[in-house]
């Protein structure tokens, strides 16, 4: 990922997140998590339910355990698909493999649950990018929710 300079769209989005209310940042985090699920084609009903519910129906411990287990299984599948440790591959190479995209979408949902709303929004954004979301889609989600 290129460095964030002051004029970059990613830096502008970061400023929007920082300037948002905590509630706005949280809504954005879950909106981005839903976007990542959609972009990646993730079909896991439980993960989608958590992403759609946001904090209106805070997930139970078994929901969290399911998310973590699913992320772990998808990460392992990603490693098999790429033929090695995913950290050794570029973002473009990882996007060619569905399990890699889906793993990052699950990570976006997990990130949206972080206790600090601003950390949640930044983490969900980072994972959504890794799941294949385009900057324009992230900006559109921010326009709708921040």
């Amino acid at each position: 990922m290129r460095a964030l300079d002051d004029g970059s769209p990613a830096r502008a989005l970061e400023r929007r997140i920082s300037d948002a209310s905590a509630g706005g940042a949280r809504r954005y985090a879950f909106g981005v998590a839903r976007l990542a699920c959609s972009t990646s084609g993730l079909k896991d009903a439980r993960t989608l339910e958590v992403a759609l519910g946001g904090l209106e129906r805070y997930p139970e411990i078994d929901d969290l355990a399911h998310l973590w287990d699913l992320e772990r299984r998808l990460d392992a599948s990603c490693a098999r698909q790429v033929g090695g440790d995913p950290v050794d591959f570029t973002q473009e190479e990882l996007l060619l493999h569905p399990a890699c995209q889906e793993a990052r979408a699950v990570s976006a949902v997990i990130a949206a649950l972080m206790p600090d709303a601003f950390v949640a929004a930044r983490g969900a954004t980072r994972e959504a990018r890794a799941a294949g979301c385009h900057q324009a889609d992230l900006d559109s989600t921010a326009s709708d929710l921040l």
Side-chain angles (χ1 to χ4, degrees):
M1 186 170 118
R2 76 181 182 129
L4 300 180
D5 60 341
D6 284 348
S8 76
R11 179 56 72 192
L13 179 57
E14 171 61 30
R15 278 193 302 273
R16 288 182 77 173
I17 291 169
S18 295
D19 292 343
S21 67
R26 182 69 67 191
R27 283 187 302 277
Y28 170 77
F30 279 102
V32 167
R34 289 188 297 274
L35 176 64
C37 290
S38 175
T39 298
S40 72
L42 184 73
K43 302 274 191 270
D44 182 73
R46 205 162 181 183
T47 302
L48 295 173
E49 181 181 343
V50 172
L52 288 170
L55 292 182
E56 291 181 16
R57 185 196 75 74
Y58 200 80
E60 301 291 329
I61 294 298
D62 60 327
D63 292 327
L64 296 174
H66 174 79
L67 289 171
W68 292 325
D69 182 58
L70 179 60
E71 180 188 32
R72 182 187 55 75
R73 286 185 283 123
L74 287 167
D75 279 337
S77 181
C78 174
R80 283 190 302 277
Q81 286 181 3
V82 298
D85 188 340
V87 299
D88 296 331
F89 294 85
T90 67
Q91 178 63 28
E92 292 76 24
E93 291 170 322
L94 294 175
L95 287 174
L96 299 174
H97 303 280
C100 300
Q101 289 181 284
E102 291 175 16
R104 299 296 41 96
V106 174
S107 293
V109 175
I110 293 169
L113 292 166
M114 296 296 292
D116 182 293
F118 299 98
V119 171
R122 290 179 192 103
T125 299
R126 181 182 56 255
E127 296 296 345
R129 280 189 185 104
C133 295
H134 298 287
Q135 186 66 42
D137 296 326
L138 296 169
D139 291 339
S140 178
T141 301
S143 293
D144 292 343
L145 299 174
L146 290 178

